[in-house]
């Protein structure tokens, strides 16, 4: 089962994790990205490419299902403005065995960073600046090439 | 050809989408970027440094030397920063 | 912040994950183990070594905090009888960067399987059998030796 | 010396803990296991195959050839299977 959603509404962890557990999995792994404060940041704003972004996330989920023996994959990404402490992204994977769930979860967040068309800007009070891509993200994605 | 712009490219151009009809000499994404840079001061600001840009043709990521071919929708944007 | 608990009460994911997010982390990784049905299994029963098991989990959590730059580690393990679909174990890690949260989470569940004194038996109706250790678990734990 | 038993070791012996006073010749965990196997039919069943057993002295995992030394609490149990 694949669930992909791009939405401005908050991400509800309990609901998403319960749905994955109900796949009959022995193990559920998750990663949640949260807006981090510091450096004067008061909020983030996320923009996406309607249509292409949804496709990119579905393609990633399918690639994970092909590569590992998974019972469920959930990829949620928020768009719009988010305050410090709010969730930006949620990856959840369900599998009979923990290794597959954990590896697939790490793969999905690494690849999402480079493969899905999202753009992020930081708000510091009334000032905004677009976030530059990090070389470490490109590097992290390459470790899954096989 | 429909063009889509995202993030600071959108802001510099002043719109998120426009329809253009480039001359026949414009055959690749890179040539399209060079041509767009001449269209207005906003376009010039957005497209002055092609190395900072990424592109998608009909919703697939492509390199800037990709031929436009029969592209219906070309998107130009900075490197992605989601997650 | 380290939180370790061995309890017969159910594991509440939303509460645990929110507490980790409130550490100011950019990323929270989790692994949840769930009682899996199939093979006639109707329930699991978990036994521990009071005192030693709590110490083992605290030692593991501290080892993870030493090895990675973490803002929080939570390790919860249920004891007693659990029906199919119930949560057995929860590992949660909070860090500024996703790689540290994900790696620490995988480390903790791998090492918990070999380093913490728990014993599991399967119930099939009225029949019970103690679970044999798996060679793959011992192998998984060794990949963290450095 | 306090002994603790877990899982099927506990079930075979018939109790989770007991206090014993082994002879002086019993100096290692393995020797303790051999001695315990002679104490009752239940002990015999629990301790017949030392290779299936693991041990902790004063709440630290040890190998079976470890000297008992001044151990106050020795636990004997099957390999752990948590998580």
């Amino acid at each position: 089962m694949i669930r992909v959603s791009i939405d401005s509404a908050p991400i509800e962890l309990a609901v998403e994790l319960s749905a994955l557990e109900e796949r009959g999995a022995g193990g559920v792994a998750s990663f949640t990205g949260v807006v981090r404060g510091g450096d004067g940041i008061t909020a983030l704003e996320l923009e996406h490419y309607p249509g292409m972004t949804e496709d990119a996330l579905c393609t990633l989920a399918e690639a994970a299902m092909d590569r590992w023996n998974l019972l469920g994959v959930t990829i949620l990404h928020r768009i719009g403005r988010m305050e410090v402490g709010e969730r930006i992204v949620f990856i959840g994977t369900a599998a009979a065995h923990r290794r597959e769930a954990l590896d697939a979860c790490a793969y999905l967040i690494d690849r999402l960073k480079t493969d899905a068309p999202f753009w992020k800007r930081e708000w510091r009070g009334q000032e905004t600046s677009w976030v530059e891509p990090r070389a470490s993200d490109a590097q992290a994605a390459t470790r899954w090439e096989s | 050809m429909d063009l889509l712009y995202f993030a600071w490219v959108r802001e510099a151009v002043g719109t998120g989408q426009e329809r253009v009809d480039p001359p026949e000499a414009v055959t690749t994404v890179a040539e399209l970027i060079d041509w767009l840079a001449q269209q207005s001061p906003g376009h010039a600001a957005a497209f002055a440094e092609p190395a900072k840009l990424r592109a998608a043709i009909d919703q697939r990521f492509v390199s800037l030397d990709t031929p436009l071919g029969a592209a219906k929708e070309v998107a130009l944007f900075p490197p992605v920063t989601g997650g």
Side-chain angles (χ1 to χ4, degrees), chain A residues 47 49 77 118-121 130, chain B residues 7 10-11 73 78 81 83:
Chain A
E47 177 173 335
Y49 185 162
H77 204 298
F118 288 102
W119 298 273
K120 187 186 283 166
R121 68 170 149 188
W130 291 97
Chain B
R10 173 177 52 73
E11 293 189 308
E73 180 176 296
T81 55

Side-chain angles (χ1 to χ4, degrees), chain A residues 4 9 17-18 38 59 71 75 78 80 87-88 103 114 116 124 137:
Chain A
V4 162
L17 288 165
S18 293
T59 299
L71 294 161
I75 307 177
R78 278 188 76 189
R87 297 173 191 129
I88 311 165
D103 284 353
T114 58
R124 290 176 176 79
D137 284 337

Side-chain angles (χ1 to χ4, degrees), chain A residues 121-143:
Chain A
R121 68 170 149 188
E122 296 168 342
W123 285 80
R124 290 176 176 79
Q126 298 306 308
E127 304 288 306
T128 69
S129 58
W130 291 97
V131 173
E132 297 280 328
R134 291 189 302 188
S136 60
D137 284 337
Q139 203 169 14
T142 63
R143 79 189 184 106

Side-chain angles (χ1 to χ4, degrees), chain A:
Chain A
M1 183 208 64
I2 288 175
R3 167 161 153 70
V4 162
S5 171
I6 297 167
D7 199 324
S8 58
I11 294 169
E12 299 293 346
L13 291 187
V15 173
E16 301 300 338
L17 288 165
S18 293
L20 285 162
E21 290 176 6
E22 282 161 18
R23 303 299 301 161
V28 172
S30 78
F31 176 79
T32 308
V34 176
V35 180
R36 192 152 47 103
D39 199 22
I41 292 172
T42 50
L44 287 186
E45 190 181 341
L46 267 290
E47 177 173 335
H48 80 305
Y49 185 162
M52 181 172 170
T53 311
E54 288 82 351
D55 285 350
L57 297 187
C58 286
T59 299
L60 269 184
E62 286 160 10
M65 297 282 271
D66 285 346
R67 185 162 175 163
W68 291 280
N69 196 9
L70 303 175
L71 294 161
V73 170
T74 298
I75 307 177
L76 310 179
H77 204 298
R78 278 188 76 189
I79 51 171
R81 184 184 165 98
M82 286 154 252
E83 310 298 314
V84 169
E86 289 191 63
R87 297 173 191 129
I88 311 165
V89 61
F90 171 85
I91 306 283
T93 53
H97 303 293
R98 71 181 183 282
R99 176 65 40 223
E100 300 190 285
L102 289 161
D103 284 353
C105 183
Y107 166 88
L108 287 165
I109 185 64
D110 278 350
R111 294 290 301 269
L112 181 147
K113 294 258 178 186
T114 58
D115 291 14
F118 288 102
W119 298 273
K120 187 186 283 166
R121 68 170 149 188
E122 296 168 342
W123 285 80
R124 290 176 176 79
Q126 298 306 308
E127 304 288 306
T128 69
S129 58
W130 291 97
V131 173
E132 297 280 328
R134 291 189 302 188
S136 60
D137 284 337
Q139 203 169 14
T142 63
R143 79 189 184 106
W144 298 104
E145 285 165 12
S146 60

Side-chain angles (χ1 to χ4, degrees), chain B residues 2-56:
Chain B
D2 286 315
L3 298 185
L4 295 180
Y5 307 130
F6 294 99
W8 55 255
V9 178
R10 173 177 52 73
E11 293 189 308
V13 174
T15 182
Q17 59 186 96
E18 60 182 336
R19 178 160 290 186
V20 298
D21 189 11
E24 279 189 18
V26 171
T27 63
T28 67
V29 176
E31 288 166 4
L32 176 65
I33 289 170
D34 288 343
W35 178 75
L36 284 168
Q38 301 157 32
Q39 304 306 306
S40 81
H43 286 79
F47 300 114
E49 294 183 73
K52 291 191 171 179
L53 298 175
R54 300 293 181 272

